[in-house]
Amino acid sequence: MTRLGDQLPLGRRSLLAGATGALGIAALPVTSASATASAATPATSARGPANWPDPQPYGRADPRPQLWPREDNSFVLDLELRPRDEELGRVWMRDTYVNCFVVDGRPLYVATGTTNAEGLPGPGPYNDGIFVWTARSLKGPWKLADTSKIRPGADKGKVWSPEFVTENTAGRTVVAPWQEWWEDDGQFGKRGNVWAPEIHYFQGKWYIVACMGDHSKKVGTFTLISEGGVEGPYRVAKGNLEKPYGETVGGPDWIDPTVYFHIDGGMFTEGKKAWLILHNHLYARYSDDLETIETLAEFKETPWGVEPYLEGAYVFKYGKKYHLLLAAWDWTSLDADGSPRYSYEPDQGGRKQYQYDTVVAVADKLEGPYSERYTAGVGIGHNNFFTDHTGQLWGTFFLNPAGGYYSNTSRVDDAAVSGVVKLEYTGDRLYVKRP
């Protein structure tokens, strides 16, 4: 989560077009979303295309194909493969994160995400840490970060992992006790996974904000601080030596509620200040050294009538506005007249998971108040927005294989990708670039 500061100045079927394949618009289903949209006149802006009228009532989703990643507006990053990736031919990734920073006067692109351990189909019940790729252009070539001088003979590009616990010293914690792998009573065996990492370059230093996942000793968000470059070496911030940020909030029924903290955290920076952005609509100012955080506060949002489970919170500042991104499942059902109903609210009978979307709300201040949410992109949920070194706006996507459209057997093998999609700005809103 970031703004244009250390970034360059500006005044997730077949794989998407780019290095690894193509997806045509003809492959997308026809929807009747336009029939549910408001008849109000679209807002216009001299600085960009018009806003679309929002589906009504508030809480309805907009599934129009124009908001999907397509052949003409997106591609999958050609990331350098690790040995485990050779059979698939690409990197399996969820929660794809890409950004561009100015380092020593030159643009440096970074990419990371949730990845699986060798031999496992997904990132649980354990995975082996955080991998980072870098490039001088969004089109690549994308290379694994050179970690050979830090850990000769270890997996290239792996900048942090629970296995690095042996590097702990009396004054330096690389892996906290609650982040270590562990063995249960035989239900899952080896456990402990790290999710949704973000990389940030702020005030001349590299940071990673990530989350220990559902199979970990404690579940929640933490910060890593580099003592070198983007490749590390990284250590755990002082505020996370004992636990993740915040207090326990409980989670899925199968997880001990006393170990479940706020998940899916990230960072937003502006000027010389940095904030932690958390799941559950929370944020907090970092201390000046980013070792700890101040008191958590709630964003002032405009909730739907029935709030669903929302995740992947991310803040992006653009056009002097703060854009709060959230990942939400679009559920399909039938309205009383038999027409399709697409909604983010979890109250409709006979509903089915459809798409994992990015919804956005806009504010003049970081804390809010934020506008009503709108659908910014279909199927691109749990992502980030950024600008490249030319000023072009982009969003990331991975195409969620856990449920809905991309869990279908005809598509699941091509889901979990390191994708980027062009965005457009209307003067107040950010959308996937429409035809």
Side-chain angles (χ1 to χ4, degrees), residues 90-105:
R90 62 173 176 84
V91 177
W92 188 100
M93 182 179 287
R94 292 172 52 108
D95 313 317
T96 301
Y97 173 91
V98 180
N99 219 324
C100 182
F101 300 99
V102 176
V103 182
D104 297 329

Side-chain angles (χ1 to χ4, degrees), residues 222-247:
F222 62 96
T223 298
L224 299 172
I225 302 174
S226 176
E227 298 169 323
V230 66
E231 72 279 2
Y234 288 87
R235 62 172 177 83
V236 179
K238 293 176 181 177
N240 296 129
L241 296 180
E242 302 296 330
K243 66 179 184 67
Y245 291 114
E247 303 302 325

